[in-house]
Amino acid sequence: MSQTARFSSLGGALLALCVALSGCAARTDVYGGGSTPSQYTHIFITAQQIWFNTSASAGVDDSGWAKFTLTSPMTFDLVTDSNGTLGEIADDLHLTAGTYNSILIIPVPSESTQTAASATALGATYNLEADYVDSSGTTHAVPLIVPNPEKGIVIPASQALTVPFGSIGLGTTTSGTTSTAATGTTSTTSTTSTNSTSASSISSTSTTQRVSFASNFDGNRDLHMFTYPAGGTNTGVMLSSNPSSSNLATTGAISGTLTLTSLTNITAISDRVAIQASAETLSADGSHHVIVATAPVQTDGTFTIYPLPSNSSTATNYDVVIHGPNIATIIIKSVPATTSSPSTSASSSTTNTATAGSPVSIGTFIPRQSVSSSGTTTTSTTFTASVNPTTSASLPPGAAVVFYQTLPASGEVPYAIDEIGIDPLNLNLTGEALSGATIDVGTYTSSGSTITVTAATPVEAQGVYKVGATAPLYNDSALSSTYQVSASKPAVSLPTLTPAAGSSTVSFTANVSSSGAYDQGELIVSHNGAVVGTASLASVLKGGTLTVSGLPGGGDAKYYLSAIVWNSGSPGYALAGTGSFKYESFANPVDLSGGNVSDVAITIE
């Protein structure tokens, strides 16, 4: 389905000529997908605009964006658009040839008066929606809180997004017969055009390359369940986006299969189990491993991690970590993500798809149950972990907690075994389930070949982890000392995260006015779609001042504000007609690049 677009030129005589003749830039398609923890059955995101920028650090208010408004909003689902398949957001965009380093998605807010047809077709009630299963097995559908959706989600490129030059036609191109050859990332579209002269017509054929970009969301890190009021039983879901974009021509995929028949206590929700496979690389400083992309394991035991940045000359190697609370972790080292073109197809729904082509296979494994032996007794060892804020140190609300273990060999550094976003209102994590078993380790040889694994006790000891945290605009935290994860141990507290790029922390003071209709609420501070700060509004909803401190300052410190508010007597979702909970967004940014600000005005309607 072709998307009509409004084009913003990047300038230059040649580029202007390209636009005038409508033929020298490749046609661009954009797909979306990701991964989520197994308790989610759907995460719907509905897009209405797609922007592109050549700068890797572009913010929504910066110049240089090439902006496209979709003819009709398009909805993708981070649950179904995963495991090697991506959902289409836009196709056939006439993006000027060049190199881009940022994509921006403007979603349709949940608060919009009408749910988009594409969302309704996928079964969504809201344009932005989170469906999850609670501990009792009950499914809930709630609006997905995306901070300042009108300002969009900025998605930096993991590698340059290159749109090549195509052919330039001669004269006016009229409608002709179009056929698409190949289904890969770079395909050719042959268009017959008629170029009129005063005496005759000349039939000529021009070829236009087709490129496909993808925006990938890591829901394990970026989806944040929260409870409200503090310690309450009401649950919401917030997206603090830290996604990445890639050119599918420079990506690969890794697949594998688990034999699940011998496992017990493996809960299936929809078509997934509580086991995931993550592709990891070393951090920039080489001190630990970081997760690049994750895939959920399906009920048939299969998984495909995609898209993974790579290159055609020498494939990028990843270590694959297969993990879940009820199995012994499996680590397969040095797996190459060989680049291959995806296949594209029309879906029976409103969304077309791109599927990983020729994934590198690590074969089939039989995971061990997470158990330990004491004499003649074998017991299950699934432990729980909690992270609490302290008066001296608390995590930023958009942070994710990461649990690490280290293999017992020279030169090894900790692997990320599990990663989960914290509660952005209460700044804590409770009851995360982790394996207490040893680790099975093997090394990749060739695609599909049998890999021998051997059991290894992590350096930290069996059932023992180090704990760290990561957050947008902050450096990764140092890792905690070893932490025994079990119900009988106290919650771990992490060191304060420091702002990235050596920036100092800054604050702002807001003068809050309100209609007085609400008695509870939270102010949300965001940057490019990521949550950076939160603060309780309860004490100022009848008017007053509120100071938010500890925010990263410096040249990129432009923040937007929004709020969630409710009445304690009816905290259900107003959109669902069950209560007073609603979301509000404020138009004016707070610019802290020059230091603290004290004259911010907020009006709660």
Side-chain angles (χ1 to χ4, degrees), residues 107-453:
V108 182
S110 292
E111 294 75 18
S112 176
T113 56
Q114 185 174 1
T115 303
S118 60
T120 301
L122 294 177
T125 302
Y126 313 107
N127 293 306
L128 302 170
E129 179 176 312
D131 297 357
Y132 68 92
V133 178
D134 65 20
S135 58
S136 68
T138 303
T139 300
H140 303 265
V142 298
L144 176 65
I145 304 299
V146 175
N148 302 98
E150 74 284 355
K151 292 299 178 180
I153 301 168
V154 176
I155 309 170
S158 56
Q159 293 179 316
L161 308 175
T162 301
V163 178
F165 284 97
S167 300
I168 301 177
L170 301 174
T172 302
T173 301
T174 61
S175 178
T177 302
T178 303
S179 61
T180 301
T183 56
T185 302
T186 303
S187 61
T188 59
T189 302
S190 299
T191 303
T192 301
S193 59
T194 300
N195 301 291
S196 299
T197 66
S198 58
S200 64
S201 294
I202 303 173
S203 179
S204 66
T205 299
S206 65
T207 59
T208 302
Q209 287 185 304
R210 201 172 192 94
V211 295
S212 296
F213 298 154
S215 298
N216 192 53
F217 292 75
D218 183 350
N220 299 281
R221 176 192 61 216
D222 296 344
L223 288 173
H224 298 255
M225 277 193 171
F226 61 89
T227 59
Y228 68 98
T233 58
N234 302 286
T235 300
V237 181
M238 188 178 298
L239 179 67
S240 176
S241 298
N242 190 23
S244 63
S245 57
S246 58
N247 186 335
L248 293 183
T250 58
T251 64
I254 297 172
S255 67
T257 302
L258 300 182
T259 301
L260 302 175
T261 53
S262 62
L263 297 177
T264 60
N265 298 323
I266 299 297
T267 302
I269 296 178
S270 297
D271 61 346
R272 303 180 301 162
V273 296
I275 304 173
Q276 296 185 322
S278 300
E280 303 189 8
T281 61
L282 283 175
S283 61
D285 63 3
S287 65
H288 60 283
H289 287 85
V290 294
I291 296 173
V292 177
T294 295
V297 173
Q298 307 295 290
T299 50
D300 64 0
T302 62
F303 64 85
T304 301
I305 311 172
Y306 179 73
L308 291 170
S310 191
N311 60 76
S312 57
S313 56
T314 303
T316 301
N317 283 353
Y318 294 91
D319 292 348
V320 176
V321 179
I322 304 169
H323 56 97
N326 293 297
I327 69 166
T329 298
I330 301 171
I331 297 178
I332 306 301
K333 307 183 74 170
S334 302
V335 185
T338 305
T339 58
S340 61
S341 295
S343 60
T344 57
S345 63
S347 169
S348 58
S349 68
T350 59
T351 305
N352 297 333
T353 59
T355 302
S358 304
V360 172
S361 173
I362 60 173
T364 300
F365 300 91
I366 303 175
R368 292 186 290 116
Q369 191 80 39
S370 178
V371 297
S372 62
S373 297
S374 176
T376 59
T377 303
T378 300
T379 58
S380 175
T381 54
T382 297
F383 295 135
T384 57
S386 298
V387 175
N388 283 340
T390 66
T391 55
S392 60
S394 63
L395 295 174
V401 175
V402 191
F403 297 90
Y404 297 89
Q405 288 183 319
T406 312
L407 295 177
S410 175
E412 292 285 358
V413 299
Y415 281 92
I417 306 300
D418 193 26
E419 183 178 41
I420 191 74
I422 68 169
D423 181 327
L425 274 56
N426 301 292
L427 306 182
N428 65 350
L429 174 69
T430 60
E432 179 66 6
L434 297 165
S435 171
T438 55
I439 298 173
D440 286 342
V441 186
T443 301
Y444 173 87
T445 55
S446 61
S447 185
S449 297
T450 300
I451 298 174
T452 301
V453 296

Side-chain angles (χ1 to χ4, degrees), residues 9 16 28 46 51 65 86 98 117 149 212 234 236 259 268 356 365 382 407 459 476 561 574 576 592 594:
S9 174
T28 303
T46 303
W51 300 5
W65 289 102
L86 304 170
S212 296
N234 302 286
T259 301
F365 300 91
T382 297
L407 295 177
V459 171
D476 288 358
L561 306 181
L592 301 180

Side-chain angles (χ1 to χ4, degrees), residues 9 12 78 81 165 180 237 249 263 322 363 498 516 525-526 555 564 585:
S9 174
L78 299 188
D81 296 325
F165 284 97
T180 301
V237 181
L263 297 177
I322 304 169
T498 58
V525 183
S526 66
I564 50 176
S585 183

Side-chain angles (χ1 to χ4, degrees), residues 33-85:
S35 61
T36 67
S38 61
Q39 72 262 41
Y40 292 102
T41 58
H42 295 287
I43 296 292
F44 295 113
I45 299 175
T46 303
Q48 61 179 326
Q49 293 184 38
I50 307 291
W51 300 5
F52 302 85
N53 204 301
T54 59
S55 171
S57 59
V60 61
D61 294 316
D62 293 338
S63 61
W65 289 102
K67 303 178 182 180
F68 296 84
T69 297
L70 306 184
T71 303
S72 301
M74 292 295 295
T75 303
F76 60 102
D77 181 0
L78 299 188
V79 175
T80 58
D81 296 325
S82 64
N83 236 305
T85 298

